[in-house]
Amino acid sequence: MAALCVEELLARAEQPHRSVAVEKELELEFDLGNLLALDRNAPPSVPRAAGAQRESRLRSLARDNTQLLVAQLWGLPAGRAEGATGPLVAQLPEPSYRLPREKPLPRPRPPTRWEQFARLKGIRRRKRTSLVWDEAAKQWRRRWGYERAGGDPARDWLIEVPAGADPSEDQFAKRLRDKREKVAHNEFNRLRNIARGALPGRGLHPTGHQSRAELGRATQVARVSTASLGRFQPRLPKEPAAPPPGGGKKRHFEPLLGDLAAERSRQLELLRGLGSKKPPLDLTRAVNKQLREEDAQAAAGKGRKRGQRGKRGRQRPGGGKGPAGGKGKKGGVRRQQQRPAGRKRS
């Protein structure tokens, strides 16, 4: 095998090298900014049966076009990337063809409340170094985190009780509790900013008066704002299970190729239902419809009886029975006429 490999290499070395000069009937159009070469010449005509010959022709065509593109790149201004010993790098011009994007441009991130306030007040962000000078330790220490400047626990062996504070209160525990509350408050503000950015029209109110539904919706949006879509986020003790990230239930479709017996039974059931003269009867639906009709009739009968009772109880001012009716007035007049004429009412 080694002898054959050497002989093959020697045979390839004896073959004449191809020239870098390539001739074309029509000049190629180059877009060096995109490393693109357009060949408008007619492709070589090769019969479909000659597969090996067609492959060699295509390889030769690709090699010639690449040779022309590389020749154009060597004509561009170039320089060393990393000093005199670095690789030679060509400076590409601006691309002339605008290639389409696979996805739309990302939307700009909405500003947070602090960014809006800083822009309103003209506050500029200053970049601070991560190391500061610690006067007590006489050395440079980190500004935050472990072994930070002024953060040695040995210095806090004594805390002065503020004026007006309870002397029996543990100041160490109070400081730890205040720190935890501050961390929780900052975390809540961070989640609120994420929720406001994710849903601009459904964010939290700036006044802080939010309902339970709004807080739950904001928490859900902040949970799925991570790279894992909230899959590894810890849950609260009584927090319900979150819906899937896409929202709603996913529809499950039957595979196109697979269980032929199940597909045959479904098609036969469909044809049996279309061919039968008697429509299929849904007993549950029919019973529910009958019960609803009976309830509606019973409610209508009760309403009719109430209307009749109301009509009997109501009396018209001029035609009802009793002293206020017309008959009572006539009876009163008749009794006045039967009184003796000699008696007068005083």
Side-chain angles (χ1 to χ4, degrees):
M1 290 295 293
L4 292 177
C5 292
V6 171
E7 292 176 357
E8 184 179 356
L9 291 176
L10 293 175
R12 290 184 180 181
E14 291 177 357
Q15 292 179 0
H17 295 283
R18 302 187 63 175
S19 175
V20 295
V22 181
E23 296 182 0
K24 291 280 187 177
E25 295 182 2
L26 299 178
E27 296 293 336
L28 271 66
E29 299 180 8
F30 298 99
D31 181 9
L32 300 181
N34 291 322
L35 298 178
L36 176 65
L38 299 178
D39 188 3
R40 300 188 180 278
N41 295 283
S45 58
V46 180
R48 295 183 179 182
Q53 187 179 2
R54 181 183 181 186
E55 185 70 21
S56 63
R57 290 284 185 89
L58 292 178
R59 286 179 179 272
S60 177
L61 179 61
R63 182 263 169 196
D64 294 343
N65 292 340
T66 306
Q67 180 63 49
L68 293 175
L69 179 61
V70 172
Q72 293 290 330
L73 292 177
W74 278 103
L76 295 176
R80 297 291 178 179
E82 300 176 357
T85 59
L88 189 63
V89 179
Q91 299 178 4
L92 298 179
E94 292 293 331
S96 57
Y97 288 93
R98 296 184 60 184
L99 300 179
R101 291 175 58 92
E102 180 185 2
K103 297 181 180 179
L105 291 173
R107 297 181 180 178
R109 181 180 61 84
T112 60
R113 293 183 60 187
W114 166 249
E115 292 176 352
Q116 295 177 0
F117 176 77
R119 187 182 304 170
L120 181 64
K121 298 296 182 180
I123 302 175
R124 296 183 179 179
R125 184 177 181 181
R126 299 179 181 179
K127 186 175 181 181
R128 298 191 297 178
T129 59
S130 59
L131 297 178
V132 294
W133 180 256
D134 192 352
E135 293 292 342
K138 300 300 179 181
Q139 61 179 352
W140 292 92
R141 289 194 172 185
R142 298 183 180 91
R143 188 184 297 273
W144 306 280
Y146 178 67
E147 292 186 355
R148 65 183 182 275
D152 191 359
R155 303 177 189 175
D156 300 336
W157 63 274
L158 180 63
I159 299 180
E160 183 180 358
V161 179
D166 188 4
S168 60
E169 185 179 7
D170 189 357
Q171 297 297 326
F172 293 94
K174 181 181 178 182
R175 185 175 61 178
L176 183 60
R177 183 171 60 254
D178 294 344
K179 181 179 180 180
R180 290 177 179 175
E181 292 179 357
K182 186 177 180 179
V183 170
H185 181 70
N186 294 337
E187 181 67 13
F188 176 75
N189 289 338
R190 185 184 71 84
L191 296 177
R192 183 168 57 180
N193 290 334
I194 293 176
R196 185 183 289 108
L199 298 176
R202 296 167 54 188
L204 301 180
H205 301 296
T207 55
H209 302 285
Q210 298 88 19
S211 63
R212 183 175 181 181
E214 291 175 343
L215 290 176
R217 185 166 56 252
T219 306
Q220 179 183 355
V221 172
R223 180 182 300 279
V224 298
S225 299
T226 58
S228 61
L229 298 178
R231 185 174 301 174
F232 305 104
Q233 292 295 112
R235 298 188 180 277
L236 298 177
K238 295 184 180 180
E239 184 179 2
K249 296 182 179 180
K250 293 186 177 180
R251 296 182 298 174
H252 295 280
F253 298 96
E254 296 294 337
L256 298 178
L257 299 176
D259 193 0
L260 299 180
E263 183 178 0
R264 188 185 300 107
S265 62
R266 287 196 303 269
Q267 298 296 336
L268 291 176
E269 187 69 22
L270 179 61
L271 292 176
R272 193 179 299 109
L274 293 176
S276 61
K277 298 181 180 180
K278 185 178 181 181
L281 177 61
D282 191 352
L283 296 179
T284 305
R285 188 174 179 181
V287 170
N288 292 337
K289 184 177 181 181
Q290 181 66 22
L291 292 176
R292 285 195 299 269
E293 292 179 357
E294 293 179 357
D295 293 343
Q297 292 178 1
K302 290 182 180 179
R304 235 181 262 113
K305 291 181 180 179
R306 289 175 184 171
Q308 293 177 0
R309 290 176 188 169
K311 290 180 180 179
R312 292 175 183 175
R314 290 196 302 268
Q315 295 178 357
R316 297 181 180 179
K321 296 182 179 180
K327 293 184 179 180
K329 186 178 292 186
K330 290 182 181 180
V333 172
R334 190 178 295 110
R335 285 194 293 271
Q336 287 179 2
Q337 290 177 359
Q338 292 178 358
R339 289 178 181 175
R343 297 180 61 181
K344 294 182 178 180
R345 300 179 62 183
S346 56

